[in-house]
Amino acid sequence: MNTTESETLKYVTTTCPYCGVGCGLNLVVKDEKVVGVEPYKRTPVNQGKLCPKGATCWEHVHSPDRLTTPLIKKDGKFVEASWDEALDLVASKFKETSDKYGPHAFGFQVSCRTPNEECYLLQKIARMAFKTNNVDNCARICHGPSVAGLSLSFGSGAATNSFVDLLNTDLIFMMGSNAVEAHPLAARRIVQAHQKGAKLIVCDPRYTPTARLADTYLRYNPSSHIALINSMMYWIIKEGKQDTAFIEKRTKGYEDLLKTVQNYADAEAIHGVPLETVKKIAFEYADAKNATIIYCLGITEQTTGTDNVRSLGNLAMLCGNIGREGVGVNPFRGQNNVQGACDMGAYPNVFSGYQKCEDPAARKKMEEAWGVTDLPDWYGTTLTEQITACGDPIKAMYMFALNPVVTYPNTNHVIESLKKLDFLVVQDIFMTETAKYADVILPGACFAEKDGTFTSAERRVNRIRKAVSPPGDAKADWEIFDMLAKKLGLKGFDFNSAEEIWDDMRKVTPSMYGISYERMEKPESVHWPCPTLEHPGTPILHKERFGSADGLGTFFGLEYRQPAEVADAEYPFTLMTGRLIFHYHSRSQTGRAAVLDYEVPEGYVQINTEDAKELGIANGEKILLKSRRGEVETLAKVTDEVAKGVLYMAMHFGNAAANMLTNTALDPLSKMPELKHCGVSVQKIKEAN
């Protein structure tokens, strides 16, 4: 590169748009185009390293099939429209729906991929303009049980410790997390801790790349988490290895736990793990000076998801592993802003900072700050319940940067539900599988084209910064919301920057008031809670007291329950779903990165070697999977990574859609659908002669 060329380059520091680790990176810009990525070496999160997704995160930015102008469906076909025409139509249709049907006729769905400022703004519009709490985000189908479970156990629905704090632990207990593929730079911290001498125990029904790193790998039967954890706790208590002082001083409900675990002395018939192995890992966890628990969607995406999370909370409190360095219970968040979308109040029962809508004082504060009256106090309809309610009572839906046709359970059900709506708005950057069903499509901006913040899995609020302008007439999404609010006649939407929106949020959110844009200029940024500008932030929660009203952690006696649907004679295999290192969600971005698409261009299902032999299925052969909800053709990957009778399928591929098969049955507490467990059949596809 010559000097002249190098002088045209600029580096824009921002945050990766994929998983919840929050890696820093520099977008390389030349002639107003993003031409590459370089790791940001000053942040403590990723220390100048990136995973395959982060290293290619720029490739979709200037994709030729980006949405560039508003589109309105007329006579079944999309036609280009001006912003005024499109937003006038949205405003008039939503007002008409409000006048005719009232606040329960709306569904607002917010993406966990989008900045905090935009999540905050859309829920504010929903509540101000339409007096509805029918606003939710896609944490509902990944870490909704984390919010619910950790809140019930600890009083706060967030990770207790930071990634770098893993270097202070003596033992890492991982359950339902394949961090090497799903969170590679957090996995790097796990490897560093392991190299320092920390023991690594990995519990997973599948022998994953993460499991290969373990000192002890434990394969248990899918969805039997509670039975296994209860058995561990029984033996910890039986041998007197519990932290009695911590239990007496800082918790309540212990007698309830003690009574329940008596039934799980030997639960091998449920979870499939030999008793001596259960004792071994239980005692190793209890005997470690500092032990930390890591989990992910293998725990949460169940009809018992909230109870699974509470079980891990029980285990941590039983051994006093909360509130100091090197311990804790830490969900690895799947999306870049899954923590933040919840923090911002894009949730059916809370305002920003988890201030409850049912609390009169919280509503009064918001009404005074926003200049409105009569904000709703009721618990709104959740994400997947909104889909089922399409047509009755939900008539109009606003879908912001989500692709539920691929990512929600039971694809056929999703499609039929969306067709029942009177009016659907989709705001996105590509013509997704879901956008095709919209009445109006609004072209937004990707992460490289706007300012804002993402909040990572460790509660660290990270800046994103505009590197280039959106294509064509596309706009930053917060600008679209600002324009729409004015069309709806709302006051207080004269924002000129993302920073002004952030300040509007933090002035009504005590837990984040102290986190200003100026403070986020530091490479390490700030962890919430941070109540004042002088406060240093809080990397470790619950040091002196839990987040509950009485300051105590709560034990729960939780019984094992079967999944909603188990394998039977008609559908004899158990299907699990998950992620791959080379792709992300519905591939609307990673599918446009050439090297990632080259690595894994199409979907497949892992099937056990013995099962494949019995069915006459060869590796790479096309097979047909069927469930009670649909069927899909895919390729067989024959392996011993999964147990006999168990299948594993990545959820990324629209042309081999795992969610054609998955179950919509819900966790009663968090309303999480059971994406990780359903019954399927397998059939070899015979080629025509």
Side-chain angles (χ1 to χ4, degrees):
M1 180 180 294
N2 62 42
T3 305
T4 304
E5 288 176 328
S6 66
E7 287 174 352
T8 68
L9 292 179
K10 67 175 181 179
Y11 286 69
V12 179
T13 303
T14 190
T15 303
C16 181
Y18 289 121
C19 80
V21 176
C23 295
L25 53 85
N26 291 302
L27 293 175
V28 184
V29 180
K30 180 181 180 183
D31 299 329
E32 301 307 313
K33 298 286 185 183
V34 181
V35 296
V37 140
E38 290 290 337
Y40 180 48
K41 297 180 179 179
R42 295 178 63 198
T43 174
V45 177
N46 53 304
Q47 298 179 303
K49 309 293 182 183
L50 290 173
C51 79
K53 289 189 285 286
T56 57
C57 70
W58 61 279
E59 293 192 30
H60 70 275
V61 174
H62 303 296
S63 181
D65 56 348
R66 283 284 302 275
L67 294 169
T68 60
T69 188
L71 300 172
I72 294 175
K73 187 176 284 180
K74 296 181 179 179
D75 299 323
K77 295 183 178 180
F78 288 111
V79 297
E80 294 185 358
S82 68
W83 276 106
D84 276 337
E85 183 183 3
L87 292 176
D88 281 341
L89 179 60
V90 173
S92 66
K93 287 290 188 181
F94 273 52
K95 285 180 180 177
E96 179 183 312
T97 301
S98 181
D99 292 342
K100 190 172 182 179
Y101 299 107
H104 294 280
F106 294 97
F108 287 86
Q109 302 210 353
V110 180
S111 173
C112 298
R113 307 293 317 287
T114 56
N116 284 313
E117 293 76 3
E118 294 167 356
C119 298
Y120 172 77
L121 220 52
L122 187 54
Q123 64 85 30
K124 183 176 179 180
I125 289 173
R127 289 178 163 124
M128 284 182 65
F130 305 109
K131 301 297 189 282
T132 186
N133 280 338
N134 286 359
V135 55
D136 203 1
N137 70 75
C138 50
R140 183 69 53 191
I141 56 171
C142 60
H143 274 290
S146 292
V147 177
L150 294 176
S151 294
L152 289 166
S153 294
F154 302 155
S156 173
T160 60
N161 294 59
S162 67
F163 297 134
V164 71
D165 190 49
L166 287 167
L167 301 181
N168 298 315
T169 195
D170 301 296
L171 182 143
I172 300 170
F173 180 82
M174 299 184 71
M175 198 173 205
S177 169
N178 179 19
V180 167
E181 291 200 88
H183 305 90
L185 272 301
R188 182 171 177 267
R189 289 296 193 191
I190 294 169
V191 171
Q192 290 173 337
H194 194 220
Q195 290 173 338
K196 281 187 65 179
K199 286 184 178 178
L200 177 59
I201 299 171
V202 176
C203 304
D204 201 300
R206 191 166 68 101
Y207 188 57
T208 65
T210 306
R212 294 185 181 97
L213 302 175
D215 296 300
T216 301
Y217 164 62
L218 185 154
R219 172 177 280 166
Y220 60 95
N221 294 330
S223 308
S224 61
H225 315 82
I226 291 172
L228 177 57
I229 299 165
N230 277 352
S231 192
M232 290 174 63
M233 291 189 291
Y234 170 85
W235 287 104
I236 289 170
I237 296 167
K238 176 76 171 174
E239 295 299 316
K241 293 179 179 290
Q242 72 271 34
D243 188 333
T244 303
F246 184 92
I247 293 167
E248 291 177 351
K249 180 181 179 182
R250 299 202 53 192
T251 71
K252 62 185 178 183
Y254 179 63
E255 292 304 317
D256 187 28
L257 175 77
L258 189 61
K259 179 181 176 182
T260 301
V261 300
Q262 299 305 311
N263 300 320
Y264 294 86
D266 186 354
E268 182 178 351
I270 300 173
H271 54 63
V273 181
L275 178 58
E276 290 307 310
T277 304
V278 174
K279 290 182 181 181
K280 175 180 180 291
I281 64 169
F283 298 157
E284 285 182 348
Y285 178 83
D287 290 340
K289 181 180 178 182
N290 298 307
T292 188
I293 295 171
I294 292 169
Y295 71 89
C296 197
L297 304 189
I299 287 288
T300 59
E301 289 185 337
Q302 310 271 343
T303 50
T304 57
T306 303
D307 285 355
N308 294 342
V309 172
R310 288 194 288 176
S311 289
L312 293 175
N314 285 342
L315 178 60
M317 290 188 293
L318 183 67
C319 298
N321 281 320
I322 293 288
R324 63 182 192 276
E325 289 185 344
V327 300
V329 179
N330 297 300
F332 277 10
R333 305 286 186 160
Q335 299 181 67
N336 50 304
N337 202 37
V338 70
Q339 181 68 58
C342 300
D343 297 344
M344 293 299 105
Y347 226 53
N349 65 323
V350 294
F351 300 110
S352 55
Y354 305 96
Q355 300 169 92
K356 294 183 178 180
C357 297
E358 66 182 20
D359 180 3
R363 290 199 309 280
K364 182 179 180 182
K365 181 174 79 169
M366 292 300 178
E367 288 169 352
E368 291 176 351
W370 294 350
V372 294
T373 58
D374 302 321
L375 288 177
D377 62 351
W378 38 275
Y379 201 117
T381 307
T382 61
L383 197 82
T384 47
E385 289 178 314
Q386 286 184 19
I387 296 297
T388 301
C390 284
D392 182 21
I394 292 178
K395 305 293 184 181
M397 184 171 286
Y398 202 117
M399 196 162 286
F400 175 35
L402 291 163
N403 190 13
V405 168
V406 177
T407 60
Y408 291 12
N410 195 351
T411 294
N412 288 326
H413 168 66
V414 174
I415 291 171
E416 291 307 310
S417 296
L418 294 179
K419 289 178 179 178
K420 295 176 183 178
L421 291 168
D422 291 348
F423 195 71
L424 173 62
V425 179
V426 171
Q427 187 166 315
D428 216 315
I429 63 174
F430 291 111
M431 178 63 77
T432 64
E433 290 86 345
T434 301
K436 297 171 185 177
Y437 297 96
D439 295 286
V440 173
I441 299 174
L442 303 176
C446 77
F447 82 108
E449 298 160 348
K450 55 191 175 185
D451 293 313
T453 55
F454 296 149
T455 305
S456 74
E458 55 179 354
R459 295 173 287 103
R460 192 193 301 264
V461 188
N462 297 308
R463 282 293 316 278
I464 63 166
R465 296 174 177 87
K466 181 177 178 179
V468 293
S469 296
D473 290 331
K475 294 183 179 295
D477 296 273
W478 67 263
E479 294 182 72
I480 299 172
F481 296 143
D482 207 46
M483 294 163 61
L484 176 60
K486 290 170 184 173
K487 296 282 187 185
L488 293 167
L490 300 180
K491 303 296 183 184
F493 284 81
D494 297 313
F495 298 110
N496 296 303
S497 68
E499 183 176 8
E500 289 183 8
I501 301 167
W502 179 261
D503 288 341
D504 186 75
M505 179 280 302
R506 68 186 183 92
K507 75 182 181 184
V508 294
T509 311
S511 62
M512 298 182 198
Y513 178 79
I515 307 178
S516 65
Y517 264 42
E518 181 181 0
R519 294 190 69 186
M520 285 187 273
E521 288 299 316
K522 300 182 300 179
E524 66 272 20
S525 194
V526 187
H527 300 259
W528 71 257
C530 181
T532 68
L533 290 170
E534 295 73 35
H535 193 282
T538 313
I540 299 175
L541 293 179
H542 315 310
K543 282 188 172 182
E544 303 298 330
R545 53 181 283 127
F546 286 94
S548 54
D550 59 10
L552 299 177
T554 303
F555 283 106
F556 294 91
L558 302 166
E559 298 285 359
Y560 164 76
R561 288 185 286 117
Q562 277 195 335
E565 181 179 275
V566 296
D568 57 19
E570 187 177 2
Y571 299 99
F573 288 87
T574 296
L575 176 69
M576 304 186 299
T577 64
R579 293 187 170 111
L580 303 174
I581 191 171
F582 294 110
H583 284 296
Y584 196 79
H585 284 220
S586 64
R587 298 176 72 244
S588 59
Q589 292 169 291
T590 55
R592 289 171 169 86
V595 68
L596 300 185
D597 194 59
Y598 171 81
E599 289 287 349
V600 188
E602 57 186 325
Y604 60 85
V605 62
Q606 289 185 332
I607 181 170
N608 178 267
T609 305
E610 290 183 39
D611 289 327
K613 185 177 181 180
E614 289 173 7
L615 293 168
I617 293 170
N619 189 53
E621 194 167 20
K622 187 169 281 191
I623 60 175
L624 180 68
L625 304 182
K626 290 183 180 181
S627 77
R628 290 175 174 83
R629 290 153 296 278
E631 61 183 51
V632 63
E633 291 185 5
T634 188
L635 300 177
K637 187 171 185 179
V638 179
T639 177
D640 288 327
E641 289 184 13
V642 291
K644 190 169 173 27
V646 177
L647 308 174
Y648 171 81
M649 194 172 183
M651 51 80 71
H652 310 296
F653 299 89
N655 60 351
N659 283 321
M660 291 292 289
L661 308 168
T662 50
N663 196 352
T664 55
L666 300 179
D667 172 7
L669 290 174
S670 68
K671 308 301 182 182
M672 161 66 74
E674 195 146 69
L675 291 159
K676 284 287 186 284
H677 198 118
C678 70
V680 299
S681 64
V682 177
Q683 181 180 330
K684 179 184 174 78
I685 296 177
K686 294 185 172 25
E687 298 292 340
N689 292 328

